[in-house]
Amino acid sequence: MVENIVILTGAGISAESGLGTFRDAGGLWEQYPLEQVATPEGFARNPALVHDFYNARRKNCAEAEPNPAHFALADLERNFKGSVLIVTQNVDDLHERAGSQNILHMHGEMGKAKCHICDYHWHSPPELFAKTPCPSCTKPATRPDIVWFGEMPYHMVKIELYLQDADLFVSIGTSGNVYPAAGFVQQARLAGAQTLELNLEPSQGASNFHAARNGPASEVVPQWVGEIIRAGL
Ligand code: OAD
């Protein structure tokens, strides 16, 4: 019997909403070297470039709409008798806007800012600049509240507790390149969960899953959710 579902999402679930993925051909890391825009060292060297990158992504996100995959996961949370947790690597807010509530943003959120001196966190205005002052300590030390390479992802203790209790672990639209998220499938499996990958094509970690369905998230996710809900699991 399935009581606890943990769903890991990545950039692929938001691709059909018009937000770019990272590692597909023409993806964000081909256009912008990740060392420059997604590391603390890159930010220390050139904060204006990093703010420009995230200001543009924040604008894209504000113009984007959730797609049927996001809506299907919100439906699942509403209709499933047990617990559904979304652990997302995405920094957009499309899960929230589709109606999901139980979400952990392990790589942070574009809609938030933080102070790299006093660690105060607040809701980000549409644009941040190198001179934007922290509302708490007033220093011009504002950065996007995004977990960069070399930094510790958020919510790890809670995520590991959920993985321990998961009966079903589903990974959607992620290439399985970035740890610790790429290792969640093995953790869930060791704890006894069934594991399923829903991705456009087999990911790098596809062989770690019990089962896979390949296709666009806007098709495969609503189809899978419909089956779960109809089965009354
Ligand atoms: P990637 O760009 O690495 O992988 C996206 C995955 O989505 C690929 O496996 C694609 O095949 C798949 N995909 C593309 N379009 C899809 C669609 N329409 N439906 C279903 N799947 C589709 O993105 P992530 O795995 O999310 O971290 O990347 C993980 C982390 O690496 C990101 O959170 C980010 C990045 O560097 C930070 O910025 C810290």
Side-chain angles (χ1 to χ4, degrees):
M1 187 168 140
V2 177
E3 284 180 5
N4 299 313
I5 304 179
V6 176
I7 298 169
L8 174 69
T9 63
I13 196 167
S14 297
E16 291 161 87
S17 295
L19 302 185
T21 58
F22 297 96
R23 295 176 184 77
D24 294 311
L28 283 167
W29 295 155
E30 262 184 26
Q31 301 169 54
Y32 307 89
L34 77 83
E35 302 74 23
Q36 289 181 17
V37 297
T39 62
E41 296 77 17
F43 183 68
R45 268 195 305 271
N46 193 345
L49 175 79
V50 176
H51 280 306
D52 282 351
F53 174 70
Y54 287 102
N55 288 344
R57 294 191 61 206
R58 215 175 276 114
K59 181 167 181 287
N60 288 350
C61 177
E63 289 164 0
E65 295 295 335
N67 68 55
H70 298 102
F71 286 115
L73 294 186
D75 249 10
L76 180 67
E77 186 181 332
R78 271 192 298 273
N79 292 299
F80 182 67
K81 285 191 247 92
S83 124
V84 175
L85 171 72
I86 296 176
V87 178
T88 188
Q89 299 167 89
N90 297 345
V91 295
D92 64 54
D93 61 353
L94 297 181
H95 285 304
E96 284 87 346
R97 284 201 265 142
S100 288
Q101 295 194 346
N102 199 16
I103 308 165
L104 295 175
H105 280 272
M106 65 180 291
H107 289 168
E109 292 172 71
M110 245 173 340
K112 293 187 179 163
K114 77 169 180 175
C115 174
H116 65 79
I117 292 180
C118 75
D119 203 36
Y120 184 73
H121 293 237
W122 69 99
H123 283 288
S124 173
E127 293 192 310
L128 294 172
F129 302 97
K131 289 196 171 145
T132 304
C134 164
S136 178
C137 73
T138 72
K139 301 251 171 43
T142 295
R143 57 168 276 182
D145 191 2
I146 306 267
V147 176
W148 287 324
F149 287 90
E151 298 183 317
M152 187 63 82
Y154 292 152
H155 311 298
M156 285 310 297
V157 171
K158 203 166 176 185
I159 292 169
E160 287 181 3
L161 289 173
Y162 270 93
L163 289 172
Q164 279 300 318
D165 280 347
D167 305 301
L168 179 57
F169 172 82
V170 185
S171 171
I172 304 175
T174 175
S175 61
N177 272 281
V178 177
Y179 282 82
F184 290 169
V185 57
Q186 281 118 326
Q187 280 178 259
R189 241 185 125 135
L190 276 175
Q194 283 298 305
T195 57
L196 170 67
E197 175 169 271
L198 304 177
N199 207 54
L200 190 59
E201 59 200 6
S203 74
Q204 181 163 296
S207 61
N208 293 316
F209 291 83
H210 291 103
R213 296 187 190 183
N214 296 128
S218 66
E219 292 173 19
V220 293
V221 176
Q223 197 177 55
W224 168 72
V225 167
E227 288 168 25
I228 295 274
I229 292 176
R230 276 194 301 278
L233 285 177

